[in-house]
Amino acid sequence: MAIITNIEDLRVLAQKRVPRIFYDYVDSGSWSESTYRANRDDFAGIQLRQRVGINVANRSLQTQMVGQDVTMPVALAPVGLTGMVHADGEILAAKAAEQFGVPFTLSTMSICAIEDIAARTTKPFWFQLYIMKDRDFTSRLIARAEAAGCSALVVTLDLPMMGQRNKDLKNGLSVPIKLSLRNLLNVAHKTRWWTGMLGTKRHSFGNIVGHVPEVSDTASLLQWTAQQLDQSVSWNDIRWIRQRWHGKLIVKGILDAEDARLATRHGVDAIVVSNHGGRQLDGAPSSIAALPGIVQAVGHEMEIHLDSGIRSGQDVLKALALGAKGVYIGRAFIYGLGAMGEAGVSRSLEIIHKELEITMSLCGITDVKQVDQSVLFKAPQTYSK
Ligand SMILES: Cc1cc2nc3c(=O)[nH]c(=O)nc-3n(C[C@H](O)[C@H](O)[C@H](O)COP(=O)(O)O)c2cc1C
């Protein structure tokens, strides 16, 4: 096996090992994928300011996200169906994150259940909530996250309707699943993947199965889930959640300064500037392009996180420079998981940590908490709209 030196190496290996239907599910954006590409291109367009003659012998990457100590300002983003990329994927990723000292966020649409993660980890993790039409079920999910000791609830607002990802439709990843012969044959070739899958009983949406009376088999489960996306979700629901949830509350999917201002009026502890990794509104700006305007609008009032497009420590530094307190990685850790399971998630974190540490040093920075726009070659206005 080739030596893994960066996230791209993990992606290439994941592509070899994960069945096409699930690899494509991860590595795609909506419609023309223009926003998905912009997320990467806009990071690449930001230049860092090289400094020399500064003592960088003692370095610290430790900081806090929503008051929680982290060994670097990077959390694992909620990723639905993680347990289909690798058997027991959410458990493995949560263990790797815990070991590394960064937050893991479990998706509502995970394969392993909230209780599964709680049983296999020792520190609090975060739970991502999709507000479902069935508010009783949503309420129970919040209570389950609380009972499992989750320290933050990440409510995703950018999915009132699902963005169309063309590859998923072509691959038959729809409701109900329609696997083509070509995809079945492809699965047969991914021996590591399916032997792992044969060794686990977790093959379905773990947070839903057994918690909704009308759902009995896979078909009814998929049907129920597809119907549960609620297009009527509004800030009133955030108010409703704030009354039920006593831990930190993070709202994910903010891309506009006006929405960020609204978040400040709803008892939210942090927002995630995010376009869902380019999977929702195709044509929206990259998250990193949207960040400066949002920081300008609400940066003095609340903590701001960012995701979408982070593939390296350099990207993390750029996001911090433009005002994010921390970032989340989605695909970067999922590639690691698909490539090498838990060890691959750890590897993705190590890669990003090392890149961040070296990049900070070459910019003359020793403490991640002191990163500001002065590490950029050009002023941040250049990057905002
Ligand atoms: C395969 C996949 C599934 C995702 N599922 C969810 C989800 O269930 N809930 C959610 O809030 N975000 C979800 N996201 C979005 C991520 O949380 C995050 O915003 C995105 O991956 C960040 O972009 P990046 O992958 O470029 O790092 C998903 C992203 C991917 C790639």
Side-chain angles (χ1 to χ4, degrees), residues 25-28 36 39 77-80 107-109 128 130 156 158 252 274-279 307-311 328-332 334:
Y25 164 68
V26 170
D27 194 5
S28 54
Y36 183 31
N39 283 337
V79 171
S107 164
T108 293
M109 304 315 296
Q128 176 266 328
Y130 279 129
T156 301
D158 60 8
K252 175 169 180 282
S274 170
N275 55 35
H276 215 104
R279 297 164 75 80
D307 75 20
S308 301
I310 303 261
R311 300 287 184 277
Y328 301 60
I329 51 171
R331 296 176 183 89
I334 290 288

PDB file of all heavy atoms in Angstrom, residues 25-28 36 39 77-80 107-109 128 130 156 158 252 274-279 307-311 328-332 334, ligand 1:
ATOM      1  N   TYR A  25     -22.043   8.660  -3.027  1.00  0.00           N
ATOM      2  CA  TYR A  25     -22.916   9.386  -2.092  1.00  0.00           C
ATOM      3  C   TYR A  25     -22.102  10.420  -1.306  1.00  0.00           C
ATOM      4  O   TYR A  25     -22.548  11.553  -1.090  1.00  0.00           O
ATOM      5  CB  TYR A  25     -23.593   8.376  -1.158  1.00  0.00           C
ATOM      6  CG  TYR A  25     -24.219   8.980   0.071  1.00  0.00           C
ATOM      7  CD1 TYR A  25     -25.343   9.799  -0.008  1.00  0.00           C
ATOM      8  CD2 TYR A  25     -23.673   8.726   1.342  1.00  0.00           C
ATOM      9  CE1 TYR A  25     -25.908  10.357   1.133  1.00  0.00           C
ATOM     10  CE2 TYR A  25     -24.234   9.284   2.484  1.00  0.00           C
ATOM     11  CZ  TYR A  25     -25.345  10.093   2.380  1.00  0.00           C
ATOM     12  OH  TYR A  25     -25.902  10.654   3.509  1.00  0.00           O
ATOM     13  N   VAL A  26     -20.893  10.008  -0.913  1.00  0.00           N
ATOM     14  CA  VAL A  26     -20.036  10.919  -0.139  1.00  0.00           C
ATOM     15  C   VAL A  26     -19.435  11.993  -1.039  1.00  0.00           C
ATOM     16  O   VAL A  26     -19.512  13.186  -0.751  1.00  0.00           O
ATOM     17  CB  VAL A  26     -18.905  10.113   0.545  1.00  0.00           C
ATOM     18  CG1 VAL A  26     -17.859  11.051   1.149  1.00  0.00           C
ATOM     19  CG2 VAL A  26     -19.488   9.186   1.610  1.00  0.00           C
ATOM     20  N   ASP A  27     -18.866  11.543  -2.144  1.00  0.00           N
ATOM     21  CA  ASP A  27     -18.051  12.449  -2.955  1.00  0.00           C
ATOM     22  C   ASP A  27     -18.877  13.119  -4.043  1.00  0.00           C
ATOM     23  O   ASP A  27     -18.504  13.094  -5.219  1.00  0.00           O
ATOM     24  CB  ASP A  27     -16.881  11.660  -3.566  1.00  0.00           C
ATOM     25  CG  ASP A  27     -15.820  12.595  -4.125  1.00  0.00           C
ATOM     26  OD1 ASP A  27     -15.963  13.819  -3.948  1.00  0.00           O
ATOM     27  OD2 ASP A  27     -14.867  12.107  -4.748  1.00  0.00           O
ATOM     28  N   SER A  28     -19.987  13.716  -3.659  1.00  0.00           N
ATOM     29  CA  SER A  28     -20.740  14.453  -4.671  1.00  0.00           C
ATOM     30  C   SER A  28     -21.428  15.664  -4.061  1.00  0.00           C
ATOM     31  O   SER A  28     -21.634  15.743  -2.854  1.00  0.00           O
ATOM     32  CB  SER A  28     -21.757  13.546  -5.375  1.00  0.00           C
ATOM     33  OG  SER A  28     -22.572  12.927  -4.434  1.00  0.00           O
ATOM     34  N   TYR A  36     -19.962  22.853  -4.644  1.00  0.00           N
ATOM     35  CA  TYR A  36     -19.027  21.832  -4.141  1.00  0.00           C
ATOM     36  C   TYR A  36     -17.596  22.177  -4.591  1.00  0.00           C
ATOM     37  O   TYR A  36     -16.660  22.173  -3.775  1.00  0.00           O
ATOM     38  CB  TYR A  36     -19.461  20.465  -4.691  1.00  0.00           C
ATOM     39  CG  TYR A  36     -18.661  19.265  -4.229  1.00  0.00           C
ATOM     40  CD1 TYR A  36     -18.068  19.207  -2.974  1.00  0.00           C
ATOM     41  CD2 TYR A  36     -18.518  18.151  -5.060  1.00  0.00           C
ATOM     42  CE1 TYR A  36     -17.360  18.090  -2.562  1.00  0.00           C
ATOM     43  CE2 TYR A  36     -17.816  17.033  -4.657  1.00  0.00           C
ATOM     44  CZ  TYR A  36     -17.238  17.008  -3.411  1.00  0.00           C
ATOM     45  OH  TYR A  36     -16.534  15.900  -3.004  1.00  0.00           O
ATOM     46  N   ASN A  39     -16.145  25.417  -2.882  1.00  0.00           N
ATOM     47  CA  ASN A  39     -15.644  25.222  -1.517  1.00  0.00           C
ATOM     48  C   ASN A  39     -14.142  24.955  -1.525  1.00  0.00           C
ATOM     49  O   ASN A  39     -13.403  25.447  -0.668  1.00  0.00           O
ATOM     50  CB  ASN A  39     -16.357  24.043  -0.839  1.00  0.00           C
ATOM     51  CG  ASN A  39     -17.759  24.408  -0.372  1.00  0.00           C
ATOM     52  OD1 ASN A  39     -18.076  25.573  -0.153  1.00  0.00           O
ATOM     53  ND2 ASN A  39     -18.607  23.397  -0.234  1.00  0.00           N
ATOM     54  N   ALA A  77     -17.817  16.419  11.499  1.00  0.00           N
ATOM     55  CA  ALA A  77     -19.154  16.867  11.096  1.00  0.00           C
ATOM     56  C   ALA A  77     -20.138  15.698  11.106  1.00  0.00           C
ATOM     57  O   ALA A  77     -19.728  14.540  10.948  1.00  0.00           O
ATOM     58  CB  ALA A  77     -19.089  17.462   9.687  1.00  0.00           C
ATOM     59  N   PRO A  78     -21.424  15.997  11.270  1.00  0.00           N
ATOM     60  CA  PRO A  78     -22.424  14.925  11.164  1.00  0.00           C
ATOM     61  C   PRO A  78     -22.529  14.454   9.715  1.00  0.00           C
ATOM     62  O   PRO A  78     -22.684  15.270   8.807  1.00  0.00           O
ATOM     63  CB  PRO A  78     -23.720  15.615  11.596  1.00  0.00           C
ATOM     64  CG  PRO A  78     -23.498  17.077  11.322  1.00  0.00           C
ATOM     65  CD  PRO A  78     -22.029  17.319  11.530  1.00  0.00           C
ATOM     66  N   VAL A  79     -22.426  13.163   9.530  1.00  0.00           N
ATOM     67  CA  VAL A  79     -22.495  12.596   8.178  1.00  0.00           C
ATOM     68  C   VAL A  79     -23.453  11.403   8.213  1.00  0.00           C
ATOM     69  O   VAL A  79     -23.174  10.398   8.877  1.00  0.00           O
ATOM     70  CB  VAL A  79     -21.096  12.167   7.678  1.00  0.00           C
ATOM     71  CG1 VAL A  79     -21.197  11.393   6.374  1.00  0.00           C
ATOM     72  CG2 VAL A  79     -20.201  13.391   7.484  1.00  0.00           C
ATOM     73  N   GLY A  80     -24.581  11.548   7.520  1.00  0.00           N
ATOM     74  CA  GLY A  80     -25.557  10.468   7.468  1.00  0.00           C
ATOM     75  C   GLY A  80     -24.973   9.236   6.778  1.00  0.00           C
ATOM     76  O   GLY A  80     -24.071   9.362   5.943  1.00  0.00           O
ATOM     77  N   SER A 107     -24.922  12.109  13.354  1.00  0.00           N
ATOM     78  CA  SER A 107     -26.065  12.560  12.544  1.00  0.00           C
ATOM     79  C   SER A 107     -27.355  11.878  12.990  1.00  0.00           C
ATOM     80  O   SER A 107     -27.344  10.721  13.418  1.00  0.00           O
ATOM     81  CB  SER A 107     -25.792  12.214  11.078  1.00  0.00           C
ATOM     82  OG  SER A 107     -26.984  12.297  10.328  1.00  0.00           O
ATOM     83  N   THR A 108     -28.462  12.594  12.827  1.00  0.00           N
ATOM     84  CA  THR A 108     -29.774  11.952  13.012  1.00  0.00           C
ATOM     85  C   THR A 108     -29.885  10.736  12.093  1.00  0.00           C
ATOM     86  O   THR A 108     -30.406   9.684  12.481  1.00  0.00           O
ATOM     87  CB  THR A 108     -30.914  12.944  12.642  1.00  0.00           C
ATOM     88  OG1 THR A 108     -30.934  14.015  13.575  1.00  0.00           O
ATOM     89  CG2 THR A 108     -32.278  12.265  12.631  1.00  0.00           C
ATOM     90  N   MET A 109     -29.326  10.869  10.862  1.00  0.00           N
ATOM     91  CA  MET A 109     -29.452   9.814   9.857  1.00  0.00           C
ATOM     92  C   MET A 109     -28.281   8.836   9.917  1.00  0.00           C
ATOM     93  O   MET A 109     -27.793   8.359   8.893  1.00  0.00           O
ATOM     94  CB  MET A 109     -29.546  10.423   8.457  1.00  0.00           C
ATOM     95  CG  MET A 109     -30.678  11.419   8.277  1.00  0.00           C
ATOM     96  SD  MET A 109     -32.256  10.909   8.967  1.00  0.00           S
ATOM     97  CE  MET A 109     -32.581   9.500   7.962  1.00  0.00           C
ATOM     98  N   GLN A 128     -26.428  15.769  16.124  1.00  0.00           N
ATOM     99  CA  GLN A 128     -27.024  16.639  15.092  1.00  0.00           C
ATOM    100  C   GLN A 128     -28.486  16.280  14.903  1.00  0.00           C
ATOM    101  O   GLN A 128     -28.839  15.118  14.686  1.00  0.00           O
ATOM    102  CB  GLN A 128     -26.271  16.486  13.766  1.00  0.00           C
ATOM    103  CG  GLN A 128     -26.877  17.288  12.618  1.00  0.00           C
ATOM    104  CD  GLN A 128     -27.846  16.473  11.780  1.00  0.00           C
ATOM    105  OE1 GLN A 128     -27.672  15.269  11.627  1.00  0.00           O
ATOM    106  NE2 GLN A 128     -28.879  17.119  11.237  1.00  0.00           N
ATOM    107  N   TYR A 130     -32.068  16.722  12.841  1.00  0.00           N
ATOM    108  CA  TYR A 130     -32.984  17.188  11.807  1.00  0.00           C
ATOM    109  C   TYR A 130     -34.348  17.273  12.473  1.00  0.00           C
ATOM    110  O   TYR A 130     -34.791  16.298  13.102  1.00  0.00           O
ATOM    111  CB  TYR A 130     -33.051  16.194  10.638  1.00  0.00           C
ATOM    112  CG  TYR A 130     -31.905  16.306   9.655  1.00  0.00           C
ATOM    113  CD1 TYR A 130     -31.171  15.181   9.283  1.00  0.00           C
ATOM    114  CD2 TYR A 130     -31.557  17.526   9.082  1.00  0.00           C
ATOM    115  CE1 TYR A 130     -30.119  15.270   8.376  1.00  0.00           C
ATOM    116  CE2 TYR A 130     -30.522  17.629   8.181  1.00  0.00           C
ATOM    117  CZ  TYR A 130     -29.804  16.507   7.824  1.00  0.00           C
ATOM    118  OH  TYR A 130     -28.774  16.604   6.931  1.00  0.00           O
ATOM    119  N   THR A 156     -29.566  21.312  12.223  1.00  0.00           N
ATOM    120  CA  THR A 156     -29.280  21.642  10.824  1.00  0.00           C
ATOM    121  C   THR A 156     -30.504  22.267  10.181  1.00  0.00           C
ATOM    122  O   THR A 156     -31.586  21.671  10.174  1.00  0.00           O
ATOM    123  CB  THR A 156     -28.855  20.368  10.058  1.00  0.00           C
ATOM    124  OG1 THR A 156     -27.696  19.845  10.705  1.00  0.00           O
ATOM    125  CG2 THR A 156     -28.535  20.671   8.607  1.00  0.00           C
ATOM    126  N   ASP A 158     -30.378  23.774   6.900  1.00  0.00           N
ATOM    127  CA  ASP A 158     -30.281  23.979   5.446  1.00  0.00           C
ATOM    128  C   ASP A 158     -30.829  22.817   4.621  1.00  0.00           C
ATOM    129  O   ASP A 158     -30.452  22.625   3.477  1.00  0.00           O
ATOM    130  CB  ASP A 158     -28.836  24.304   5.030  1.00  0.00           C
ATOM    131  CG  ASP A 158     -27.844  23.209   5.381  1.00  0.00           C
ATOM    132  OD1 ASP A 158     -28.285  22.127   5.818  1.00  0.00           O
ATOM    133  OD2 ASP A 158     -26.637  23.423   5.218  1.00  0.00           O
ATOM    134  N   LYS A 252     -26.661  24.913  12.399  1.00  0.00           N
ATOM    135  CA  LYS A 252     -25.778  24.603  11.263  1.00  0.00           C
ATOM    136  C   LYS A 252     -26.478  24.909   9.936  1.00  0.00           C
ATOM    137  O   LYS A 252     -27.655  24.611   9.775  1.00  0.00           O
ATOM    138  CB  LYS A 252     -25.434  23.109  11.322  1.00  0.00           C
ATOM    139  CG  LYS A 252     -24.621  22.572  10.169  1.00  0.00           C
ATOM    140  CD  LYS A 252     -24.141  21.168  10.499  1.00  0.00           C
ATOM    141  CE  LYS A 252     -23.323  20.552   9.391  1.00  0.00           C
ATOM    142  NZ  LYS A 252     -24.117  20.047   8.287  1.00  0.00           N
ATOM    143  N   SER A 274     -22.037  27.142   6.755  1.00  0.00           N
ATOM    144  CA  SER A 274     -21.947  25.872   6.026  1.00  0.00           C
ATOM    145  C   SER A 274     -22.896  25.872   4.837  1.00  0.00           C
ATOM    146  O   SER A 274     -23.995  26.423   4.915  1.00  0.00           O
ATOM    147  CB  SER A 274     -22.353  24.725   6.973  1.00  0.00           C
ATOM    148  OG  SER A 274     -22.511  23.506   6.274  1.00  0.00           O
ATOM    149  N   ASN A 275     -22.458  25.266   3.745  1.00  0.00           N
ATOM    150  CA  ASN A 275     -23.404  24.989   2.651  1.00  0.00           C
ATOM    151  C   ASN A 275     -23.577  23.479   2.494  1.00  0.00           C
ATOM    152  O   ASN A 275     -23.813  22.982   1.396  1.00  0.00           O
ATOM    153  CB  ASN A 275     -22.983  25.673   1.348  1.00  0.00           C
ATOM    154  CG  ASN A 275     -21.565  25.301   0.938  1.00  0.00           C
ATOM    155  OD1 ASN A 275     -21.120  24.176   1.158  1.00  0.00           O
ATOM    156  ND2 ASN A 275     -20.851  26.236   0.342  1.00  0.00           N
ATOM    157  N   HIS A 276     -23.402  22.761   3.623  1.00  0.00           N
ATOM    158  CA  HIS A 276     -23.647  21.318   3.648  1.00  0.00           C
ATOM    159  C   HIS A 276     -22.662  20.591   2.701  1.00  0.00           C
ATOM    160  O   HIS A 276     -23.011  19.613   2.050  1.00  0.00           O
ATOM    161  CB  HIS A 276     -25.100  21.038   3.227  1.00  0.00           C
ATOM    162  CG  HIS A 276     -25.743  19.883   3.937  1.00  0.00           C
ATOM    163  ND1 HIS A 276     -26.664  20.030   4.936  1.00  0.00           N
ATOM    164  CD2 HIS A 276     -25.614  18.548   3.778  1.00  0.00           C
ATOM    165  CE1 HIS A 276     -27.094  18.844   5.351  1.00  0.00           C
ATOM    166  NE2 HIS A 276     -26.459  17.922   4.667  1.00  0.00           N
ATOM    167  N   GLY A 277     -21.465  21.147   2.607  1.00  0.00           N
ATOM    168  CA  GLY A 277     -20.473  20.507   1.733  1.00  0.00           C
ATOM    169  C   GLY A 277     -20.873  20.547   0.267  1.00  0.00           C
ATOM    170  O   GLY A 277     -20.533  19.646  -0.497  1.00  0.00           O
ATOM    171  N   GLY A 278     -21.609  21.610  -0.130  1.00  0.00           N
ATOM    172  CA  GLY A 278     -22.012  21.748  -1.534  1.00  0.00           C
ATOM    173  C   GLY A 278     -23.084  20.764  -1.945  1.00  0.00           C
ATOM    174  O   GLY A 278     -23.264  20.492  -3.134  1.00  0.00           O
ATOM    175  N   ARG A 279     -23.860  20.241  -0.980  1.00  0.00           N
ATOM    176  CA  ARG A 279     -24.860  19.211  -1.287  1.00  0.00           C
ATOM    177  C   ARG A 279     -26.275  19.762  -1.330  1.00  0.00           C
ATOM    178  O   ARG A 279     -27.205  19.041  -1.647  1.00  0.00           O
ATOM    179  CB  ARG A 279     -24.791  18.098  -0.231  1.00  0.00           C
ATOM    180  CG  ARG A 279     -23.472  17.382  -0.225  1.00  0.00           C
ATOM    181  CD  ARG A 279     -23.287  16.568   1.042  1.00  0.00           C
ATOM    182  NE  ARG A 279     -24.069  15.352   1.087  1.00  0.00           N
ATOM    183  CZ  ARG A 279     -23.741  14.226   0.480  1.00  0.00           C
ATOM    184  NH1 ARG A 279     -22.661  14.183  -0.262  1.00  0.00           N
ATOM    185  NH2 ARG A 279     -24.484  13.143   0.603  1.00  0.00           N
ATOM    186  N   ASP A 307     -17.777  24.930   8.147  1.00  0.00           N
ATOM    187  CA  ASP A 307     -17.393  23.705   7.449  1.00  0.00           C
ATOM    188  C   ASP A 307     -17.640  23.885   5.962  1.00  0.00           C
ATOM    189  O   ASP A 307     -18.123  24.926   5.515  1.00  0.00           O
ATOM    190  CB  ASP A 307     -18.090  22.450   8.005  1.00  0.00           C
ATOM    191  CG  ASP A 307     -19.555  22.316   7.596  1.00  0.00           C
ATOM    192  OD1 ASP A 307     -20.000  22.934   6.608  1.00  0.00           O
ATOM    193  OD2 ASP A 307     -20.272  21.564   8.289  1.00  0.00           O
ATOM    194  N   SER A 308     -17.279  22.875   5.210  1.00  0.00           N
ATOM    195  CA  SER A 308     -17.416  22.775   3.753  1.00  0.00           C
ATOM    196  C   SER A 308     -16.103  23.103   3.043  1.00  0.00           C
ATOM    197  O   SER A 308     -15.726  24.284   2.929  1.00  0.00           O
ATOM    198  CB  SER A 308     -18.548  23.650   3.202  1.00  0.00           C
ATOM    199  OG  SER A 308     -19.793  23.270   3.808  1.00  0.00           O
ATOM    200  N   GLY A 309     -15.439  22.059   2.636  1.00  0.00           N
ATOM    201  CA  GLY A 309     -14.225  22.224   1.834  1.00  0.00           C
ATOM    202  C   GLY A 309     -12.913  22.048   2.578  1.00  0.00           C
ATOM    203  O   GLY A 309     -11.851  22.121   1.963  1.00  0.00           O
ATOM    204  N   ILE A 310     -12.971  21.798   3.889  1.00  0.00           N
ATOM    205  CA  ILE A 310     -11.709  21.663   4.632  1.00  0.00           C
ATOM    206  C   ILE A 310     -11.069  20.298   4.318  1.00  0.00           C
ATOM    207  O   ILE A 310     -11.667  19.252   4.564  1.00  0.00           O
ATOM    208  CB  ILE A 310     -11.961  21.748   6.159  1.00  0.00           C
ATOM    209  CG1 ILE A 310     -12.656  23.058   6.526  1.00  0.00           C
ATOM    210  CG2 ILE A 310     -10.659  21.495   6.936  1.00  0.00           C
ATOM    211  CD1 ILE A 310     -11.825  24.155   7.051  1.00  0.00           C
ATOM    212  N   ARG A 311      -9.884  20.354   3.782  1.00  0.00           N
ATOM    213  CA  ARG A 311      -9.150  19.115   3.474  1.00  0.00           C
ATOM    214  C   ARG A 311      -7.739  19.127   4.027  1.00  0.00           C
ATOM    215  O   ARG A 311      -6.977  18.187   3.777  1.00  0.00           O
ATOM    216  CB  ARG A 311      -9.047  18.905   1.946  1.00  0.00           C
ATOM    217  CG  ARG A 311     -10.353  18.786   1.215  1.00  0.00           C
ATOM    218  CD  ARG A 311     -11.045  17.455   1.476  1.00  0.00           C
ATOM    219  NE  ARG A 311     -12.236  17.376   0.671  1.00  0.00           N
ATOM    220  CZ  ARG A 311     -13.412  17.919   1.007  1.00  0.00           C
ATOM    221  NH1 ARG A 311     -13.550  18.548   2.158  1.00  0.00           N
ATOM    222  NH2 ARG A 311     -14.449  17.821   0.193  1.00  0.00           N
ATOM    223  N   TYR A 328     -15.335  22.101  11.102  1.00  0.00           N
ATOM    224  CA  TYR A 328     -15.736  20.690  11.085  1.00  0.00           C
ATOM    225  C   TYR A 328     -15.209  20.096   9.789  1.00  0.00           C
ATOM    226  O   TYR A 328     -15.206  20.764   8.751  1.00  0.00           O
ATOM    227  CB  TYR A 328     -17.261  20.525  11.064  1.00  0.00           C
ATOM    228  CG  TYR A 328     -18.010  21.132  12.223  1.00  0.00           C
ATOM    229  CD1 TYR A 328     -17.930  22.497  12.484  1.00  0.00           C
ATOM    230  CD2 TYR A 328     -18.832  20.361  13.026  1.00  0.00           C
ATOM    231  CE1 TYR A 328     -18.628  23.074  13.537  1.00  0.00           C
ATOM    232  CE2 TYR A 328     -19.542  20.929  14.078  1.00  0.00           C
ATOM    233  CZ  TYR A 328     -19.430  22.279  14.326  1.00  0.00           C
ATOM    234  OH  TYR A 328     -20.126  22.848  15.366  1.00  0.00           O
ATOM    235  N   ILE A 329     -14.838  18.835   9.854  1.00  0.00           N
ATOM    236  CA  ILE A 329     -14.492  18.126   8.628  1.00  0.00           C
ATOM    237  C   ILE A 329     -15.531  17.045   8.382  1.00  0.00           C
ATOM    238  O   ILE A 329     -15.944  16.336   9.304  1.00  0.00           O
ATOM    239  CB  ILE A 329     -13.070  17.504   8.679  1.00  0.00           C
ATOM    240  CG1 ILE A 329     -12.845  16.661   9.950  1.00  0.00           C
ATOM    241  CG2 ILE A 329     -12.009  18.593   8.559  1.00  0.00           C
ATOM    242  CD1 ILE A 329     -11.560  15.859   9.949  1.00  0.00           C
ATOM    243  N   GLY A 330     -15.978  16.950   7.128  1.00  0.00           N
ATOM    244  CA  GLY A 330     -16.916  15.891   6.743  1.00  0.00           C
ATOM    245  C   GLY A 330     -16.177  14.845   5.940  1.00  0.00           C
ATOM    246  O   GLY A 330     -15.668  13.853   6.469  1.00  0.00           O
ATOM    247  N   ARG A 331     -16.036  15.113   4.654  1.00  0.00           N
ATOM    248  CA  ARG A 331     -15.419  14.100   3.785  1.00  0.00           C
ATOM    249  C   ARG A 331     -14.010  13.744   4.221  1.00  0.00           C
ATOM    250  O   ARG A 331     -13.594  12.586   4.079  1.00  0.00           O
ATOM    251  CB  ARG A 331     -15.438  14.582   2.341  1.00  0.00           C
ATOM    252  CG  ARG A 331     -16.877  14.734   1.808  1.00  0.00           C
ATOM    253  CD  ARG A 331     -16.867  15.294   0.421  1.00  0.00           C
ATOM    254  NE  ARG A 331     -18.203  15.528  -0.104  1.00  0.00           N
ATOM    255  CZ  ARG A 331     -18.895  16.671   0.046  1.00  0.00           C
ATOM    256  NH1 ARG A 331     -18.393  17.683   0.739  1.00  0.00           N
ATOM    257  NH2 ARG A 331     -20.088  16.802  -0.502  1.00  0.00           N
ATOM    258  N   ALA A 332     -13.256  14.710   4.755  1.00  0.00           N
ATOM    259  CA  ALA A 332     -11.857  14.426   5.115  1.00  0.00           C
ATOM    260  C   ALA A 332     -11.769  13.222   6.060  1.00  0.00           C
ATOM    261  O   ALA A 332     -10.883  12.379   5.914  1.00  0.00           O
ATOM    262  CB  ALA A 332     -11.209  15.653   5.726  1.00  0.00           C
ATOM    263  N   ILE A 334     -14.344  10.994   6.521  1.00  0.00           N
ATOM    264  CA  ILE A 334     -15.070   9.868   5.915  1.00  0.00           C
ATOM    265  C   ILE A 334     -14.144   9.116   4.945  1.00  0.00           C
ATOM    266  O   ILE A 334     -14.187   7.885   4.857  1.00  0.00           O
ATOM    267  CB  ILE A 334     -16.346  10.367   5.195  1.00  0.00           C
ATOM    268  CG1 ILE A 334     -17.375  10.847   6.219  1.00  0.00           C
ATOM    269  CG2 ILE A 334     -16.947   9.292   4.301  1.00  0.00           C
ATOM    270  CD1 ILE A 334     -18.056   9.741   7.020  1.00  0.00           C
TER     271      ILE A 334
HETATM  272  C1  LIG B   1     -22.081  12.005   2.795  1.00  0.00           C
HETATM  273  C2  LIG B   1     -22.497  13.191   3.593  1.00  0.00           C
HETATM  274  C3  LIG B   1     -23.589  13.082   4.432  1.00  0.00           C
HETATM  275  C4  LIG B   1     -23.978  14.170   5.210  1.00  0.00           C
HETATM  276  N1  LIG B   1     -25.002  14.031   6.103  1.00  0.00           N
HETATM  277  C5  LIG B   1     -25.311  15.066   6.922  1.00  0.00           C
HETATM  278  C6  LIG B   1     -26.288  14.912   7.936  1.00  0.00           C
HETATM  279  O1  LIG B   1     -26.855  13.841   8.121  1.00  0.00           O
HETATM  280  N2  LIG B   1     -26.575  15.989   8.693  1.00  0.00           N
HETATM  281  C7  LIG B   1     -25.942  17.206   8.531  1.00  0.00           C
HETATM  282  O2  LIG B   1     -26.233  18.153   9.247  1.00  0.00           O
HETATM  283  N3  LIG B   1     -24.987  17.358   7.602  1.00  0.00           N
HETATM  284  C8  LIG B   1     -24.651  16.325   6.811  1.00  0.00           C
HETATM  285  N4  LIG B   1     -23.651  16.476   5.885  1.00  0.00           N
HETATM  286  C9  LIG B   1     -22.922  17.752   5.799  1.00  0.00           C
HETATM  287  C10 LIG B   1     -21.725  17.745   6.738  1.00  0.00           C
HETATM  288  O3  LIG B   1     -22.128  17.804   8.068  1.00  0.00           O
HETATM  289  C11 LIG B   1     -20.798  18.925   6.470  1.00  0.00           C
HETATM  290  O4  LIG B   1     -21.561  20.102   6.459  1.00  0.00           O
HETATM  291  C12 LIG B   1     -20.045  18.793   5.163  1.00  0.00           C
HETATM  292  O5  LIG B   1     -19.631  17.474   4.947  1.00  0.00           O
HETATM  293  C13 LIG B   1     -18.839  19.703   5.184  1.00  0.00           C
HETATM  294  O6  LIG B   1     -18.169  19.672   3.955  1.00  0.00           O
HETATM  295  P1  LIG B   1     -16.875  18.780   3.668  1.00  0.00           P
HETATM  296  O7  LIG B   1     -17.366  17.395   3.449  1.00  0.00           O
HETATM  297  O8  LIG B   1     -16.319  19.407   2.450  1.00  0.00           O
HETATM  298  O9  LIG B   1     -15.973  18.864   4.869  1.00  0.00           O
HETATM  299  C14 LIG B   1     -23.261  15.391   5.110  1.00  0.00           C
HETATM  300  C15 LIG B   1     -22.154  15.483   4.260  1.00  0.00           C
HETATM  301  C16 LIG B   1     -21.765  14.390   3.517  1.00  0.00           C
HETATM  302  C17 LIG B   1     -20.557  14.513   2.633  1.00  0.00           C
END
